Amino acid sequence: MAELRAQVCAGNQQLFEAGLVVWTGGNLSARDPETGLVAIKPSGMQYGQMRAEDMVVLDLDGNIVDGVRGPSSDTASHLRIYRLRPELRSIVHTHSNYASAFAAAGMAIPCCLTAIADEFGGPVPCGDYAPIGGTAIGDEVVRQLGRSPAILMKQHGVFTVGATIEKAIKAAVMVEDVAKTVSIAMGIGRVESLPAEEIAANFERYQQRYGTGSASVGVRS
Amino acid sequence: MAELRAQVCAGNQQLFEAGLVVWTGGNLSARDPETGLVAIKPSGMQYGQMRAEDMVVLDLDGNIVDGVRGPSSDTASHLRIYRLRPELRSIVHTHSNYASAFAAAGMAIPCCLTAIADEFGGPVPCGDYAPIGGTAIGDEVVRQLGRSPAILMKQHGVFTVGATIEKAIKAAVMVEDVAKTVSIAMGIGRVESLPAEEIAANFERYQQRYGTGSASVGVRS
Amino acid sequence: MAELRAQVCAGNQQLFEAGLVVWTGGNLSARDPETGLVAIKPSGMQYGQMRAEDMVVLDLDGNIVDGVRGPSSDTASHLRIYRLRPELRSIVHTHSNYASAFAAAGMAIPCCLTAIADEFGGPVPCGDYAPIGGTAIGDEVVRQLGRSPAILMKQHGVFTVGATIEKAIKAAVMVEDVAKTVSIAMGIGRVESLPAEEIAANFERYQQRYGTGSASVGVRS
Amino acid sequence: MAELRAQVCAGNQQLFEAGLVVWTGGNLSARDPETGLVAIKPSGMQYGQMRAEDMVVLDLDGNIVDGVRGPSSDTASHLRIYRLRPELRSIVHTHSNYASAFAAAGMAIPCCLTAIADEFGGPVPCGDYAPIGGTAIGDEVVRQLGRSPAILMKQHGVFTVGATIEKAIKAAVMVEDVAKTVSIAMGIGRVESLPAEEIAANFERYQQRYGTGSASVGVRS
C-alpha cells in the first residue's frame, strides 16, 4: 500500500510537471490488483506540496480505508470506472487546455494524424455532458471507451485510462499534444480523417508492438 | 506588518512564476485585518529583485505609512476596492494573455465549462472601460462583483479578489486557464453556456466544500 | 569597453531567457556614449555559449575595432539606426512569434489596450519590407519611429530601441506580450482602438513617471 | 562508434529540451561517414532516461550491428533517406505542434518571412501521405527535398536533414518557430510570399555565409 501511494503521488506530480494541470486541478488514481483498493490524490492540495502519505486509499464503495485527507471530488467518477472495467489499473483526469477545448465545443478530435491512429485507434470521442459527483461521469466514460484510452467529457475535461499508471499518463500527454496540433491545423486549413485502412494499419502496428512484452511495448518512438 | 510584507512579496512572485505577469507588470496587495493597512508591490520593480522590504504599506487614503519605494501605479484601484468591500483581504491585477484577450475584445468569458461554474459561478464578467489612476476602476470592479472573484476590465486586464492572498491568486490562475481553453474552443467550434441549473449545482457543491473549515476548502481537486 | 561587452552579452542572454529568440536568431547591441563604439552579438553563436569576450566592437562605419568573431548579420541595420538617432544607446532585434506574426501579415498592432498606450503611445507601427544587409532596414525603422520604441518590419520581425539596454529589452518583451494578447483577441472577437484622448492620457502618465529620475522610471507596475 | 552514440543521444535530448517532442515521440539519427553505420534512438524510451549505450547501431539494410534495444519504429524511413542521399549525415523526425499542424492540413509553409527564405530557400514543402514502416516515407521525403532541409509529411509530422547533427536539429527548431509565427499570422490577417528575387537574395546571402568554413557558417544571427 505504501508503494501504491508513492506511485500515485509521483504520477500526480508528473501531470503537473507535464503542464496538464494547474493549481489543485486534475487527479490521478491507481488500483492495487491484489486488494482491489484505490489510491487517489487528496482534495484541494497543490502538487508541489503533496507527499505519498497525503494520498487517500478507498475501497470501490468509496469508504476511506486509509488517509488523513479528503479524497478528490472526482473520486466517485474514478471508482465507477474501476467497478465497470476490472482490467483497468489507473485513471487520469485533467482540464488540459487544448483537449478540453474540444470538450468545451463538444467535439471529438478527428483522426487526422498518424499519431492519433497509433495511440487512440480512431477519433478521440467526446462523451455527453454528465454532472460531477455521482456515477454519471463514470458511466459515460465507459460507454465511450472503445479503442481510445482517452475520452473527452463535454463541457468538462479529459479522462484517460490504462493498464498501468504510465499508460494512463501517456494517454493524457498524447491527447493534449495531438489536440494542440489539430486545433492549430483547424485554424489554418481543413483537416480530414485518415482513411479507415490507414487508421487500422497504424493501430495494428502499435498493437503488435504492444504485445512484445518489453517494458516499452506499444510506444511509438 | 513584516509578515504581511513577506506574504505580499511571496504572492507577487507567485504571479510571476505562474506566468501571469511579465517584466514589472501586474501587482498583488493584501490588507491587514487588524490595522486596516494595505501592503502592495512597489512601482516599476522586476519580480526577481523584489524583497519583502520593498513592499509599500499604505492606509486606505493612500498615505504611505511605511516603505522606501513608490507604490504600484494601480494602487488607487486597489484601495478603492478595499474601501468599498471590507470583507476582502487581497487583490490581484494582471494582464495575463488569454484573459486579457477577452478584455481586449470587451467580452465576458462564457460559463461553458464546469471549471468556470465551480470557481466563478457563472460567466466571468467584463467591466466597462475605466481610466487608470483614480477611483473609476475600483468602482467598476465592485459594480461587476457578484459571485465571480475575477473581473475583466475592458481594454485593460484582469482583477481578482479574495478573502485570502491564496484565493486571489487562485482566481487569477484559474481565470487565465479557463480563458485559454475557451479561446481555443472558439477557434475550432461553438461554445455554449451550461444550463443555469448545472451552473448552480456545480457552484453549490463548491460552496459547500468552501464552508468546511479545512485549509483547502472550496478548492476542487 | 569590457563593461559594455559584459552588458551586451547579458542583454542578449536575457532575450533568450525571455523566450524572444531561438537558436542563434535575434541580437542586441549597445553604444558606448563616450567613444561612440557599438558592441553587438557575434554571428551564428548560440546564446548559452556566448561570453562577454565573444561580443564584437565596431565603429559606426562598420570597422571591427575589437573582437575575434564576425558580427551579427544585422549589424548594418543597427549601425544605420545609431547613426541617424544619436540619442539611442541600445537596439534589439527579434523574430518573437506573436509580434512577428503581425509583421508577417504586414499589420500594425492596434492600440486596443492600456498597456499598448502606456508603453508604445499608439499602435506599434509596421514598416515596409526592406532587404537585409544594407541601410534600408535602418532607414525604414527610423522613418517609423515616433513614440513607439518598437517597430515591426514587414515579413521580417521586430526592432526595438532604447536610451538604455534595459529599455530596449523591455520594449521587446512588452511588444511580444501585447501582440500575443491582441492576436488571441482577434480570434475570439473584435478589437478596437482606445480613443485618442485615452491613449494620450495613458502615455502622458507614463511619461511623467518617466521623468522622475528613479532607476525604474517610466515602468508601469 | 561510442562517440557517434554519445552525439546521437545528446542530439535526441536536445529535441526534448527544445520542446519539439513529447514522451517517447520523435527521433534523431546520424551516420558515421567512415563505416556508413547509422545510430538511432531506441524505440519507446523516454528522453530523460536515455544514455549513449541505449542508442541502436544499424547498417543501411537495417541489420542491428550493436545495441541491446529495439530501434525506433521510424528507422526504415531514416535508412531509406541515407541510402538515397549519401551526403546526408543526420536526420530528425518530430511531431512538433505548429509544423505538424501544417502537415495535418496538408499545406506547405508559405515563404512569407525572411527567416524562411534564409533557412529553407522557399516554402517548406508538404509531401504526400505515406505509410509508416517501409520505404515510402523515405522516398517521398527525398522526392520533396530541394533547397529546404525540412519536409512536412501530410497527416504525419516533420523530417529534417543535415550535413551535421547540429544542422538537422537547427532545421527542426527553425521550422517549428516559423510555423508558429505563420499560423498566428494566418489567424489575424493574410500572408503572402516574398517575391522570388528577395527569396533568392536572402538564401544566397545565407549560402555565402555557409561557405566560409567557420563552425557557425550558414547561421543567421
Side-chain angles (χ1 to χ4, degrees):
Chain A
M1 202 50 53
E3 197 186 320
L4 184 70
R5 273 178 159 163
Q7 291 170 343
V8 168
C9 183
N12 274 292
Q13 285 166 335
Q14 242 184 296
L15 298 182
F16 186 69
E17 285 153 19
L20 300 178
V21 294
V22 298
W23 204 255
T24 63
N27 36 73
L28 176 146
S29 70
R31 166 157 61 179
D32 177 43
E34 295 183 15
T35 62
L37 298 176
V38 170
I40 193 165
K41 175 170 157 289
S43 179
M45 193 166 194
Q46 295 212 25
Y47 288 90
Q49 299 161 5
M50 281 189 310
R51 291 165 310 168
E53 56 263 43
D54 296 313
M55 301 302 109
V56 185
V57 180
L58 308 102
D59 65 22
L60 286 192
D61 296 319
N63 300 306
I64 296 181
V65 174
D66 201 12
V68 294
R69 295 181 168 273
S72 161
S73 62
D74 294 303
T75 299
S77 304
H78 288 242
L79 297 181
R80 183 69 175 171
I81 298 168
Y82 285 123
R83 185 174 284 279
L84 294 172
R85 295 288 293 261
E87 78 281 16
L88 297 179
R89 294 270 293 277
S90 183
I91 299 171
V92 167
H93 172 52
T94 81
H95 296 170
S96 68
N97 298 113
Y98 288 91
S100 295
F102 280 89
M107 295 163 65
I109 305 175
C111 190
C112 59
L113 286 165
T114 54
I116 302 176
D118 285 350
E119 175 73 19
F120 304 106
V124 179
C126 183
D128 291 341
Y129 179 80
I132 294 171
T135 59
I137 287 179
D139 287 341
E140 181 65 10
V141 168
V142 169
R143 194 172 75 83
Q144 296 289 343
L145 271 177
R147 286 172 162 180
S148 173
I151 303 294
L152 310 177
M153 286 297 291
K154 186 178 176 185
Q155 299 189 284
H156 183 176
V158 183
F159 284 83
T160 68
V161 301
T164 63
I165 291 175
E166 193 184 13
K167 285 179 200 288
I169 296 175
K170 186 196 173 196
V173 168
M174 296 311 286
V175 73
E176 179 67 3
D177 190 54
V178 299
K180 181 170 181 180
T181 298
V182 176
S183 64
I184 299 164
M186 292 171 73
I188 60 172
R190 275 170 46 82
V191 298
E192 53 188 30
S193 180
L194 287 167
E197 62 272 21
E198 277 303 312
I199 295 175
N202 280 292
F203 187 68
E204 275 157 34
R205 174 177 41 76
Y206 169 92
Q207 291 289 93
Q208 284 169 356
R209 295 179 80 92
Y210 182 85
T212 64
S214 124
S216 58
V217 287
V219 180
R220 279 211 43 234
S221 63
Chain B
M1 201 51 52
E3 197 186 322
L4 183 71
R5 273 178 158 162
Q7 291 170 342
V8 167
C9 183
N12 273 293
Q13 284 166 335
Q14 243 186 294
L15 299 182
F16 186 69
E17 285 153 19
L20 301 177
V21 294
V22 298
W23 206 253
T24 63
N27 36 71
L28 176 147
S29 70
R31 166 156 61 180
D32 177 44
E34 294 184 16
T35 61
L37 297 176
V38 169
I40 194 165
K41 175 170 157 288
S43 179
M45 193 166 194
Q46 295 211 26
Y47 287 90
Q49 300 161 3
M50 280 190 310
R51 292 166 309 169
E53 56 262 43
D54 295 313
M55 301 301 110
V56 184
V57 180
L58 307 102
D59 65 23
L60 287 191
D61 295 320
N63 300 306
I64 296 181
V65 173
D66 202 11
V68 295
R69 294 182 168 273
S72 159
S73 62
D74 293 302
T75 299
S77 305
H78 288 241
L79 297 181
R80 183 68 175 172
I81 297 169
Y82 285 123
R83 184 173 284 280
L84 294 172
R85 294 289 291 261
E87 79 279 17
L88 297 178
R89 295 270 293 277
S90 183
I91 299 170
V92 167
H93 172 52
T94 81
H95 296 170
S96 68
N97 299 111
Y98 288 91
S100 296
F102 281 89
M107 295 164 66
I109 304 174
C111 190
C112 59
L113 287 166
T114 55
I116 302 175
D118 284 351
E119 175 72 19
F120 304 107
V124 179
C126 185
D128 292 341
Y129 180 81
I132 293 171
T135 59
I137 287 178
D139 287 342
E140 181 64 11
V141 168
V142 169
R143 194 171 77 83
Q144 296 289 343
L145 272 177
R147 285 171 162 182
S148 172
I151 303 294
L152 311 177
M153 286 297 292
K154 187 177 175 185
Q155 298 187 285
H156 183 176
V158 183
F159 284 83
T160 68
V161 300
T164 63
I165 290 175
E166 194 185 14
K167 285 178 199 292
I169 295 174
K170 186 196 172 196
V173 168
M174 297 308 288
V175 74
E176 180 66 2
D177 190 53
V178 299
K180 182 171 181 180
T181 298
V182 177
S183 64
I184 299 164
M186 293 171 72
I188 59 172
R190 274 170 46 84
V191 298
E192 52 187 31
S193 180
L194 287 166
E197 61 273 20
E198 277 302 314
I199 294 175
N202 280 292
F203 187 68
E204 276 158 33
R205 175 177 41 75
Y206 169 92
Q207 291 289 92
Q208 283 169 359
R209 296 178 80 92
Y210 182 85
T212 65
S214 125
S216 58
V217 288
V219 180
R220 279 210 46 233
S221 65
Chain C
M1 202 50 52
E3 198 187 321
L4 183 70
R5 274 177 157 164
Q7 291 171 342
V8 167
C9 183
N12 273 293
Q13 286 166 335
Q14 243 185 294
L15 298 182
F16 187 68
E17 285 154 20
L20 301 178
V21 294
V22 298
W23 206 254
T24 63
N27 37 70
L28 176 146
S29 70
R31 165 156 62 180
D32 177 45
E34 294 184 17
T35 61
L37 297 176
V38 169
I40 193 164
K41 174 170 158 289
S43 180
M45 192 168 196
Q46 294 211 26
Y47 287 91
Q49 300 161 2
M50 280 189 311
R51 292 167 307 170
E53 56 263 43
D54 295 313
M55 301 302 111
V56 184
V57 180
L58 308 102
D59 65 23
L60 287 192
D61 295 320
N63 300 306
I64 296 181
V65 173
D66 202 11
V68 295
R69 293 181 169 273
S72 160
S73 62
D74 293 303
T75 299
S77 305
H78 287 242
L79 297 180
R80 183 65 176 174
I81 297 169
Y82 285 124
R83 184 174 284 281
L84 294 173
R85 294 290 291 258
E87 78 281 15
L88 297 178
R89 295 270 293 276
S90 184
I91 299 170
V92 167
H93 173 52
T94 81
H95 296 170
S96 68
N97 299 110
Y98 288 91
S100 295
F102 280 90
M107 296 163 64
I109 304 175
C111 190
C112 59
L113 286 165
T114 54
I116 302 175
D118 285 351
E119 176 72 18
F120 304 106
V124 179
C126 185
D128 291 342
Y129 180 80
I132 293 170
T135 60
I137 287 179
D139 287 342
E140 181 63 12
V141 168
V142 168
R143 194 172 76 84
Q144 296 289 345
L145 271 177
R147 285 171 162 182
S148 173
I151 303 293
L152 311 176
M153 286 297 292
K154 187 177 176 184
Q155 299 187 284
H156 183 177
V158 183
F159 283 83
T160 69
V161 300
T164 64
I165 290 174
E166 194 184 14
K167 285 178 200 289
I169 295 174
K170 186 196 173 196
V173 168
M174 297 308 288
V175 74
E176 180 66 2
D177 190 54
V178 299
K180 181 171 182 181
T181 298
V182 176
S183 64
I184 299 163
M186 292 170 73
I188 59 172
R190 275 170 45 84
V191 298
E192 53 188 29
S193 180
L194 287 166
E197 60 272 21
E198 277 302 315
I199 295 174
N202 279 293
F203 187 68
E204 276 160 30
R205 174 177 44 74
Y206 169 90
Q207 291 289 93
Q208 284 168 0
R209 295 178 80 93
Y210 182 85
T212 65
S214 125
S216 58
V217 287
V219 180
R220 279 209 48 232
S221 64
Chain D
M1 202 51 53
E3 197 187 321
L4 184 70
R5 274 176 157 164
Q7 291 171 341
V8 167
C9 184
N12 274 292
Q13 286 167 333
Q14 243 185 294
L15 298 182
F16 187 68
E17 286 153 19
L20 300 178
V21 294
V22 298
W23 204 256
T24 63
N27 37 71
L28 176 145
S29 70
R31 165 157 61 180
D32 177 43
E34 294 184 17
T35 62
L37 298 175
V38 169
I40 193 165
K41 175 169 159 289
S43 179
M45 192 165 197
Q46 295 211 26
Y47 287 91
Q49 299 160 4
M50 280 188 312
R51 292 166 308 168
E53 54 263 43
D54 296 313
M55 301 301 112
V56 184
V57 181
L58 308 102
D59 66 23
L60 286 191
D61 295 319
N63 301 305
I64 296 182
V65 173
D66 201 12
V68 294
R69 295 181 167 272
S72 161
S73 62
D74 294 303
T75 299
S77 305
H78 288 241
L79 297 181
R80 182 68 175 171
I81 297 168
Y82 286 123
R83 184 174 284 280
L84 294 173
R85 294 289 291 259
E87 79 280 17
L88 296 179
R89 296 269 294 275
S90 183
I91 298 171
V92 167
H93 172 52
T94 81
H95 296 169
S96 67
N97 298 112
Y98 288 91
S100 295
F102 280 89
M107 295 163 65
I109 304 175
C111 190
C112 59
L113 286 165
T114 54
I116 302 175
D118 284 352
E119 176 71 18
F120 304 106
V124 179
C126 184
D128 291 342
Y129 179 80
I132 294 172
T135 59
I137 287 179
D139 286 341
E140 181 65 11
V141 167
V142 169
R143 195 173 74 84
Q144 295 289 344
L145 272 176
R147 285 172 163 181
S148 173
I151 303 294
L152 311 177
M153 285 298 291
K154 186 178 177 185
Q155 299 188 284
H156 183 176
V158 183
F159 284 82
T160 68
V161 301
T164 64
I165 291 176
E166 193 184 15
K167 285 177 200 291
I169 296 175
K170 186 195 172 196
V173 168
M174 297 309 288
V175 74
E176 179 67 1
D177 190 54
V178 300
K180 181 170 182 182
T181 297
V182 176
S183 64
I184 299 163
M186 291 171 74
I188 60 172
R190 275 171 45 84
V191 298
E192 53 188 29
S193 179
L194 287 166
E197 62 271 22
E198 278 301 315
I199 295 175
N202 279 292
F203 187 69
E204 276 159 32
R205 175 177 42 74
Y206 168 92
Q207 291 289 92
Q208 283 169 358
R209 295 177 79 92
Y210 183 86
T212 64
S214 126
S216 58
V217 287
V219 181
R220 277 209 47 233
S221 63

